Amino acid sequence: MDKHELLALAAIFIVVSGIWLRWRLAAYCSDAEEDAKDKKITPEEARRRITLINWSVPVITVLGLVLLLEAYFRWLTLRS
């Protein structure tokens, strides 16, 4: 397996992880709110957790897409 193929597989895994996290985003935010209500964490910690989740999901997805494009362009240069 070539390096660009490994990069493509890793990128696909990252994109799928980002999509899965986006699908579960509401549940993660709800869990943080419930933990704050149950006094397991402070409301400030819940806000930080929700903010981190809201920012990390698109970053992970875009990172995967960028890596997938990089793998594609490496594959194109090898074919030439």
Side-chain angles (χ1 to χ4, degrees), residues 7-8 12 15 22 34 36 39 43 48 59 66 77:
L7 183 62
I12 290 169
V15 168
R22 176 62 185 104
E34 288 297 320
K39 307 280 190 218
R48 275 196 307 254
V59 169
V66 168
T77 57

Side-chain angles (χ1 to χ4, degrees), residues 29-41:
C29 292
S30 175
D31 289 345
E33 291 170 355
E34 288 297 320
D35 287 346
K37 280 183 191 174
D38 295 341
K39 307 280 190 218
K40 293 179 182 176
I41 60 175

Side-chain angles (χ1 to χ4, degrees), residues 9-73:
L9 284 175
I12 290 169
F13 177 75
I14 291 171
V15 168
V16 169
S17 297
I19 292 169
W20 182 78
L21 285 171
R22 176 62 185 104
W23 182 51
R24 299 276 305 146
L25 183 65
Y28 288 135
C29 292
S30 175
D31 289 345
E33 291 170 355
E34 288 297 320
D35 287 346
K37 280 183 191 174
D38 295 341
K39 307 280 190 218
K40 293 179 182 176
I41 60 175
T42 65
E44 168 110 4
E45 288 175 293
R47 277 192 296 276
R48 275 196 307 254
R49 189 183 294 180
I50 291 169
T51 302
L52 177 67
I53 292 167
N54 281 325
W55 278 94
S56 63
V57 168
V59 169
I60 290 170
T61 306
V62 169
L63 174 67
L65 290 173
V66 168
L67 289 176
L68 194 57
L69 285 172
E70 175 66 24
Y72 175 70
F73 287 122

